[in-house]
């Protein structure tokens, strides 16, 4: 039996990581997380091989040249992120399902490549205004960074219609339940 892919994308600040972590921590489904590669530096607490495979610019380029990526994108200027074939192939052929937390272009790309073997879910903020309030409420970003994130969110929202499903994260519990239901009915 071949496993399936669950692609989850969302603008930053929409609660995507919280939703994914919650579903993974339940541990009730055969779901494994696809660890992406990136050339960005680890944040405090992030572990190589767990959160990401942290690569140097040269290592990332070499792996691109060797055709090791299913997809990769320059998500922020000079910051590359990609899904390694090695993260998907064996596990899929062993029948395991895999969840991918990837940006909008990567999400659309993987869905095109895998067709019915993948479901794509877009987590959407109730509104741009609500997203701005959430980012401001977090208090972790300077105003210009918030403006940048909101601007990027507006761009990312234009990809939502290309996803199989849209989950609006107004109430976190409801969004988690809706996402779980979509995953369960797909796998
Ligand atoms: P962060 O640096 O905050 O961990 O992630 C930034 C963005 O990169 C997020 O939107 C995340 O979904 C995206 N991302 C993480 N891994 C991949 C990947 O393998 N491919 C693509 N296309 N985007 C990714």
């Amino acid at each position: 039996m071949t496993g399936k892919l669950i692609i989850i994308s969302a603008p930053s600040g929409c609660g995507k990581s919280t939703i994914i972590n919650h579903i993974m921590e339940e541990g009730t489904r055969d779901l494994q997380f696809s660890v992406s590669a990136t050339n960005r530096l680890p944040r405090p607490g992030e572990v190589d091989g767990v959160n990401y495979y942290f690569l140097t610019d040269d290592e990332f380029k070499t792996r691109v040249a060797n055709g090791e990526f299913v997809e990769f994108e320059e998500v922020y200027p000079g910051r590359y992120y990609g899904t390694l074939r090695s993260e998907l192939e064996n596990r899929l052929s062993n029948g395991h399902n895999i969840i991918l937390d990837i940006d909008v272009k990567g999400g659309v790309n993987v869905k095109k490549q895998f067709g019915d073997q993948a479901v794509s879910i877009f987590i959407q903020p109730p509104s741009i205004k609500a997203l701005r309030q959430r980012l401001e409420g977090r208090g972790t970003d300077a105003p210009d960074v918030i403006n940048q994130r909101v601007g990027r969110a507006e761009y990312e929202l234009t990809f939502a219609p290309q996803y199989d499903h849209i989950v609006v994260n107004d109430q976190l519990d409801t969004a988690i339940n809706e996402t779980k239901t979509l995953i369960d009915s797909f796998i």
Side-chain angles (χ1 to χ4, degrees), residues 7 9 102-104 107-108 120-122 159-165:
I7 301 161
S9 303
I102 60 179
D103 91 310
V104 287
V108 169
S120 59
I121 303 173
F122 190 90
F159 286 77
Q162 296 182 61
Y163 279 69
D164 295 325
H165 304 281

Side-chain angles (χ1 to χ4, degrees), residues 37-89:
T38 182
N39 70 341
R40 84 151 161 77
L41 294 174
R43 295 187 187 122
E46 285 184 332
V47 177
D48 186 40
V50 175
N51 303 93
Y52 284 104
Y53 298 108
F54 293 102
L55 307 180
T56 63
D57 294 352
D58 282 348
E59 284 167 344
F60 200 100
K61 277 182 200 147
T62 304
R63 289 183 177 222
V64 171
N66 290 342
E68 292 183 41
F69 286 103
V70 174
E71 63 79 35
F72 70 94
E73 295 292 340
E74 184 178 10
V75 178
Y76 300 110
R79 289 288 160 252
Y80 290 85
Y81 298 79
T83 307
L84 292 161
R85 288 185 195 288
S86 54
E87 279 296 296
L88 306 189
E89 283 173 354

